[in-house]
Amino acid sequence: MGRHTRWQAILTITGMAMTMAFLGFLAFSRTTITVPDVGGTYTEGIAGVPQFINPLLAHYNQVDQDLSALIFNGLTRADGKGGLEPDLAQSWEMSDDGLVYLFKLRQNIRWQDNQPFTVDDVIFTINLMKDPEFPGVSYLHDLWQNVTVEKIDPYTIRFILPELFPGFADYTTIGILPEHLLKDTPARELLGHPFNLKPVGTGPFKLDEVNATFARLSANPLYTGPKPRLPHLEFRFYSSYQEIMAAYQAGDVLGVSFIPPQTIPAARNLESLKLYTARLSGYEMIYLNLQSPDTAPFFQEVEVRQALLHGLNRQAIIDQAIYGQGLVANGPILPWSWAYNPDQPVAGYDPAKAGALLEEAGWIDGDGDGIREKQGRSLAFSLLTGDDPDKVKVAEVVSEQWQQIGVSATVEVVGAGLGQRLTQHSFQAALAEVLLSGDPDPYPFWHQTQIEGGQNFAGWDNAEASMLLEAARATTDRGRRNDFYFEFQRIFAQEIPSLILFHPVYTYGISRDVFDVQTAPMVDPRDRFRSLPKWYVLTRQVIYKETQYETVAP
C-alpha cells in the first residue's frame, strides 16, 4: 500500500508540473493586448448655439456647419488636399468641352428616416438654390441659377453649364436635403422651417435632441460608410471659449472645439489635454478700399500700397498677436496649390524701403508729429476689424508697426456688421479672413465684375488681371490655366491691391482619454471630424494570436 501511495503522489506531482509548464507555455505564446472597443460618448464644448442645422443655411454659423457636416452629405466631399472624392455620388465625368457633368449616384443610400435617397433629392436641393428668394448665401444662387439640371434616371443626373467654369465641381460638396420632408416648402420659408432644428440627413450621425445648451447625436445605423467606434456624440454650447476651457477642467467635456491663440499658453499647461493643430485653407488679409478716392485717396498710389506691405513684419504679427498660430502668406493663391507661382516677387519686411517709397511719392512728416503728410492731408485712416479678441490684437500690432513708418491707422472694432461694411465698400482698410477650398480660381475676389455684388471688396479694377482670370476660366487645361495664374500673381505682387498677411492655423484640444485622434488636412474647422470614425474611448482585452484576436472572457 505504501509503495502504491508513493507512486500516486509522484504521478500527481508530475501531472501538476506538466500542467503548470503547459500553462506557462500558453502564457508565453498567447499575449493579451488592449484593442479599441465600440461604445461610449464623446462630449465637446463649442462656443455659440445652433440656428439652422441645414447645409444650405449654415454658412454664417460655425456650430451649424459642425453639426451639418456630421448629419448631411454632398455629392462629393473635399479631400483636404485641394481635390474631391465621391460621397453620395459613386462617380462623375466631365465632357471634353467642360460644359457637361454626368454624376452617377450610389443606389444603397437611405435617409435617416429610412426613405430611399434618389436623384429627385438632388434636383429638389438645387432648385431651392436656384429660387430667386433663396435665403442662403448669394454665391450659391448665382452659380446654380444658370445651370441646367437633367434627370437621366433615378440615380443619374446631368448638369449643363452655360459657359466653361473649371471650379464647378467644388459646388457639388453642398449637403443634399430630403425632398420628401421639404417638398411643400417655398425657398422663402426655409429659414422658419422646423426642419432646421430637426434635420434628417444621410450622414454618419443623426440628431436625437437639441436645445440652447446641448445637442445629442447617435450613430446612424443606415449609414453605408465607415461605422464610427463612438456611438454617441454630445456638443455642449457655451458663450465663450474661456467657459469651454473651464468646463474641460471641471470634467464636463472631453474636447474643446477651438483654442484661441490668446489661451494657448494656458492650454499647453494642461497635461490631460492634447492639442491638435492644422493649417486652414485661406489667409488673413487687409483690404484696402480702392473705391474711396474721397476718404482714402492715398490707396490709389501704388507706392503707398507697396510701402504699407514693406512696413509690416508679418512674422512678428503672428508671434506677438496670435502666439505663432499662423504662417506668413505670399499672394492670393495658396502655396500648396498647383496654381501657385513660387517665383512671384515677395515683399518682405523692409521699413527703410517703405520710408523711401513714401518719400518718393511725396509723403513726408513736415510738422514732426510722427505722421506723414502730403498736400495738407495726413497719411491716416481707420483699420476696421471684427470684435474677435485675436483679430483686434492683430489689428493693434499692425497699427503699431505702421506707426514706425509714419502711418496712422486707428483700429475700429465692429461686431456682426463687418460683412455688410465690406459688401458696401464702407471702410478705408479692413482686416478680414478669407477661406478657400477646391479649385484655386481667384476670380470671385479680384475680377472687375465682382466689385459690385461680388467679393472684390477692395474694388480692384485692373483690366489686365481680369483678362487673365477670364482666360483661366475658359480652358480646362491645367497647364494653360497655370500660365494665366502665374502672370496674374506677378501683376498682383506688383500692384498690391490689398495686403495678404498670413495663413491661419486652427488649434483644438481633446482629452488624452480619447484615442486615435488624427490631425487631418483642413479646409475649414469642421474638417477636424474627418478622422472621427476611428476615435474611441473604450477598450477591451484580447488574446493575440498570429492571425486573429480572441476576446478574453470578463
Side-chain angles (χ1 to χ4, degrees):
M1 286 292 292
R3 186 188 313 169
H4 179 72
T5 301
R6 285 197 299 272
W7 275 109
Q8 265 191 334
I10 291 170
L11 290 172
T12 300
I13 292 170
T14 302
M16 291 175 61
M18 292 178 66
T19 300
M20 292 179 67
F22 179 69
L23 291 175
F25 171 76
L26 285 179
F28 179 78
S29 62
R30 303 176 73 189
T31 305
T32 300
I33 62 173
T34 301
V35 298
D37 201 1
V38 175
T41 300
Y42 171 70
T43 305
E44 181 173 286
I46 298 182
V49 294
Q51 295 177 318
F52 307 107
I53 310 174
N54 178 329
L56 270 58
L57 306 174
H59 291 79
Y60 294 124
N61 185 344
Q62 189 59 54
V63 179
D64 292 338
Q65 292 179 39
D66 289 346
L67 295 174
S68 293
L70 296 167
I71 296 170
F72 295 92
N73 300 96
L75 294 178
T76 63
R77 60 175 168 245
D79 63 7
K81 304 173 184 177
L84 297 174
E85 58 190 18
D87 202 351
L88 291 175
Q90 177 178 303
S91 63
W92 68 93
E93 58 187 41
M94 180 184 68
S95 63
D96 292 339
D97 61 7
L99 297 177
V100 180
Y101 289 75
L102 188 71
F103 281 77
K104 294 280 188 179
L105 308 185
R106 300 185 191 276
Q107 299 188 26
N108 60 339
I109 305 294
R110 302 192 77 84
W111 292 99
Q112 292 164 358
D113 60 2
N114 207 25
Q115 294 298 306
F117 162 77
T118 72
V119 73
D120 294 331
D121 298 304
V122 181
I123 294 173
F124 169 76
T125 302
I126 292 172
N127 283 339
L128 283 175
M129 293 185 285
K130 280 174 166 279
D131 194 300
E133 297 183 284
F134 173 61
V137 291
S138 60
Y139 68 79
L140 288 177
H141 170 71
D142 294 342
L143 173 96
W144 287 107
Q145 68 173 334
N146 295 317
V147 176
T148 301
V149 182
E150 295 181 352
K151 175 180 177 180
I152 307 302
D153 61 47
Y155 295 98
T156 308
I157 189 169
R158 178 187 291 133
F159 301 123
I160 304 174
L161 279 56
E163 59 185 8
L164 192 61
F165 178 31
F168 167 76
D170 292 327
Y171 286 81
T172 63
T173 61
I174 189 73
I176 302 299
L177 299 179
E179 181 193 31
H180 67 280
L181 295 178
L182 292 165
K183 62 182 177 181
D184 296 325
T185 305
R188 65 178 180 276
E189 297 178 11
L190 203 57
L191 288 176
H193 201 284
F195 179 88
N196 297 324
L197 293 178
K198 294 182 180 179
V200 174
T202 55
F205 287 89
K206 58 188 182 71
L207 184 67
D208 295 329
E209 185 179 1
V210 64
N211 56 38
T213 58
F214 68 85
R216 293 195 178 109
L217 294 83
S218 60
N220 173 17
L222 302 176
Y223 185 61
T224 59
K227 302 296 183 184
R229 292 167 174 167
L230 289 165
H232 302 287
L233 303 178
E234 182 171 316
F235 295 95
R236 298 185 183 177
F237 307 128
Y238 299 88
S239 60
S240 69
Y241 293 108
Q242 289 72 22
E243 288 186 19
I244 301 176
M245 291 299 295
Y248 175 80
Q249 292 177 280
D252 296 333
V253 297
L254 289 171
V256 181
S257 65
F258 174 61
I259 300 179
Q262 306 298 322
T263 63
I264 282 179
R268 285 175 175 156
N269 291 329
L270 299 175
E271 293 185 2
S272 65
L273 185 67
K274 186 173 181 179
L275 303 188
Y276 297 86
T277 298
R279 163 199 81 205
L280 293 179
S281 289
Y283 43 74
E284 199 86 15
M285 67 179 300
I286 296 174
Y287 284 107
L288 304 177
N289 191 346
L290 307 180
Q291 296 290 310
S292 59
D294 296 331
T295 60
F298 31 75
F299 291 151
Q300 305 292 321
E301 302 177 40
V302 66
E303 295 85 1
V304 171
R305 302 195 301 269
Q306 291 172 343
L308 290 175
L309 190 54
H310 281 297
L312 292 179
N313 186 337
R314 287 174 284 174
Q315 188 59 57
I317 294 171
I318 294 169
D319 295 339
Q320 295 172 20
I322 55 174
Y323 292 87
Q325 299 299 289
L327 301 168
V328 172
N330 293 310
I333 291 181
L334 302 177
W336 49 93
S337 168
W338 54 265
Y340 178 73
N341 181 1
D343 298 323
Q344 65 184 297
V346 175
Y349 177 53
D350 191 340
K353 185 172 183 178
L357 284 166
L358 292 174
E359 290 184 9
E360 180 184 333
W363 294 94
I364 60 173
D365 180 14
D367 55 12
D369 65 350
I371 306 300
R372 296 175 183 270
E373 305 93 18
K374 178 180 177 181
Q375 299 176 355
R377 180 185 289 272
S378 296
L379 189 47
F381 52 89
S382 66
L383 175 58
L384 192 67
T385 182
D387 58 2
D388 178 277
D390 295 313
K391 300 290 192 296
V392 174
K393 184 63 176 176
V394 168
E396 290 174 345
V397 174
V398 166
S399 177
E400 292 169 3
Q401 292 188 359
W402 277 340
Q403 184 71 41
Q404 302 304 310
I405 62 170
V407 176
S408 174
T410 303
V411 177
E412 179 186 353
V413 180
V414 296
L418 177 61
Q420 184 176 12
R421 294 277 296 272
L422 290 173
T423 301
Q424 297 174 348
H425 304 285
S426 179
F427 67 94
Q428 293 180 305
L431 177 69
E433 186 174 320
V434 176
L435 290 181
L436 308 169
S437 64
D439 193 271
D441 180 18
Y443 182 103
F445 304 100
W446 304 110
H447 193 274
Q448 294 167 310
T449 61
Q450 303 303 300
I451 294 175
E452 297 301 329
Q455 299 178 72
N456 186 351
F457 302 134
W460 189 33
D461 190 4
N462 186 290
E464 185 179 2
S466 293
M467 180 188 67
L468 290 166
L469 295 178
E470 289 174 18
R473 279 193 166 191
T475 177
T476 58
D477 183 275
R478 181 171 288 189
R480 293 185 63 195
R481 294 184 72 200
N482 216 38
D483 292 339
F484 296 131
Y485 286 144
F486 272 37
E487 181 63 14
F488 166 78
Q489 289 167 83
R490 186 196 63 78
I491 295 173
F492 191 99
Q494 177 63 35
E495 292 292 315
I496 310 182
S498 288
L499 316 176
I500 296 177
L501 303 180
F502 56 83
H503 305 291
V505 168
Y506 191 89
T507 298
Y508 57 103
I510 297 179
S511 168
R512 296 183 185 275
D513 292 331
V514 181
F515 303 100
D516 215 3
V517 179
Q518 300 171 13
T519 303
M522 294 179 66
V523 174
D524 56 45
R526 59 189 160 181
D527 287 334
R528 68 186 184 277
F529 299 127
R530 191 183 295 275
S531 66
L532 180 60
K534 296 182 179 180
W535 300 6
Y536 65 95
V537 295
L538 300 182
T539 60
R540 70 180 191 274
Q541 296 294 310
V542 300
I543 295 175
Y544 176 74
K545 296 181 180 180
E546 288 187 5
T547 59
Q548 63 182 3
Y549 293 123
E550 178 181 316
T551 301
V552 176

